[in-house]
Amino acid sequence: MKFRTVAELVEIAETEQLKISDVMLQMESETMNRSQEEIFTEMGNHLDVMEQAIQRGLTEDVRSHSGLTGGDAKRLQEYKDSATVLLSGPTVLEAVSKATAVSEINAAMGTIVATPTAGACGILPGTISTAAEKLNSDRETKIRALFVAGAIGYTIANNACISGAAGGCQAEVGSATAMAAAAVVEMAGGTPSMSAEAVSIALKNMLGLVCDPVAGLVEAPCVKRNAMGAAIAMVAADMAMAGVKSVIPTDEVIDAMYKIGQSMPVALRETALGGLAATPTGRVLERQIFGTTEKK
């Protein structure tokens, strides 16, 4: 059972009357020559790491070594629990705070799961955990969601890119957002086609996003982009579940992302030479963190 594109993935799932998670689990088993039970257990271990990172980020006083990031996940939780009115609603804000928590743990050199990269590690855990609470999902459903995300990440990695250095932040946070959107659609009982539409809707709204880490660190604006990616994933999933379709097919959106990334100047691809990293404040922070002098 092999697929390379999202269209092929959906076709297999619908023809065989399987979930996307089933297709990915079977392909992984065949490719790795390991039992599905063994692979499922290993994915469960990844889920445990994600959930531990969420818990740490929401309860501990997390701060990165640079001092640029930390504590925002707790602030968001406190705001969610105390504010009279939540403009974005409790569910979206829950996903945002949890995505922030994991990303802050990463910035503080804690243990995370790269999904698909460390720079975008908060989006998938934040959305899956929040959706599971909303839907009263069991552990198996959450693990299956990770296989859905893996299937989408697999297609993006093989047809475009997932690294900021290769394609900008659209390749990292954009891919993670698309993966998460597809995953929560299956969690909510959506069809494989709906998951594909969620990928399109999520990714097209990340096209052109540059990778411009301040001081070259995976902290600012990375943490807040994880937060916004989680919000977009949740909304994209709802849109797809409502029957909203993308005018541009999913695989063409992925191809467009790749071509946009190839067109980006090097200064906007994880080099910290442009974008927010090159702002006056960005340069001041870089000098403060590394003790360097301003270049003439």
Side-chain angles (χ1 to χ4, degrees):
M1 186 170 289
K2 300 285 186 180
F3 63 89
R4 185 175 179 84
T5 66
V6 174
E8 292 172 354
L9 170 63
V10 171
E11 182 180 9
I12 292 171
E14 294 184 341
T15 300
E16 301 294 331
Q17 295 186 322
L18 298 170
K19 296 179 179 180
I20 288 178
S21 56
D22 290 318
V23 177
M24 187 59 184
L25 182 57
Q26 287 187 32
M27 190 181 81
E28 187 73 1
S29 176
E30 292 168 5
T31 301
M32 302 300 292
N33 194 28
R34 298 167 64 192
S35 71
Q36 291 188 31
E37 292 76 15
E38 183 181 2
I39 292 170
F40 199 87
T41 297
E42 185 172 332
M43 188 66 89
N45 294 335
H46 295 324
L47 176 65
D48 291 340
V49 173
M50 292 178 180
E51 293 183 333
Q52 289 163 12
I54 290 173
Q55 181 65 18
R56 285 194 60 200
L58 293 180
T59 60
E60 297 181 13
D61 293 324
V62 178
R63 199 74 190 172
S64 67
H65 294 300
S66 71
L68 283 179
T69 58
D72 285 341
K74 291 181 69 175
R75 291 186 186 94
L76 286 164
Q77 278 287 312
E78 290 167 1
Y79 169 70
K80 180 180 71 69
D81 294 338
S82 63
T84 304
V85 177
L86 297 175
L87 298 175
S88 60
T91 302
V92 169
L93 199 57
E94 182 77 6
V96 165
S97 64
K98 288 180 174 179
T100 301
V102 177
S103 191
E104 287 183 333
I105 290 296
N106 175 62
M109 306 302 288
T111 304
I112 53 88
V113 178
T115 52
T117 64
C121 66
I123 298 167
L124 187 59
T127 53
I128 286 179
S129 175
T130 300
E133 290 182 359
K134 186 76 173 179
L135 300 167
N136 294 316
S137 303
D138 58 16
R139 177 177 170 81
E140 178 181 345
T141 300
K142 290 188 286 185
I143 296 173
R144 281 185 167 276
L146 295 182
F147 281 104
V148 178
I152 300 305
Y154 172 83
T155 62
I156 295 174
N158 279 290
N159 294 285
C161 54
I162 57 172
S163 80
C169 201
Q170 59 168 6
E172 294 202 27
V173 167
S175 296
T177 301
M179 292 161 62
V184 295
V185 164
E186 181 169 301
M187 291 180 72
T191 65
S193 291
M194 286 177 177
S195 282
E197 295 296 345
V199 170
S200 301
I201 294 167
L203 188 56
K204 68 170 60 175
N205 284 286
M206 291 288 190
L207 294 181
L209 186 59
V210 303
C211 187
D212 51 353
V214 172
L217 302 172
V218 186
E219 299 186 38
C222 317
V223 172
K224 293 180 179 66
R225 284 183 181 161
N226 273 255
M228 295 307 296
I232 289 173
M234 297 294 280
V235 173
D238 262 336
M239 291 178 71
M241 292 287 288
V244 176
K245 297 183 182 297
S246 173
V247 174
I248 307 300
T250 309
D251 292 307
E252 292 184 31
V253 175
I254 293 171
D255 184 58
M257 186 265 276
Y258 174 70
K259 291 177 179 176
I260 291 168
Q262 292 296 294
S263 299
M264 279 185 188
V266 172
L268 301 178
R269 284 191 278 164
E270 209 173 1
T271 57
L273 297 175
L276 296 175
T279 59
T281 298
R283 291 306 184 210
V284 168
L285 290 169
E286 182 181 10
R287 292 194 294 272
Q288 289 176 349
I289 292 167
F290 294 108
T292 55
T293 56
E294 188 171 3
K295 297 178 180 179
K296 301 295 185 181

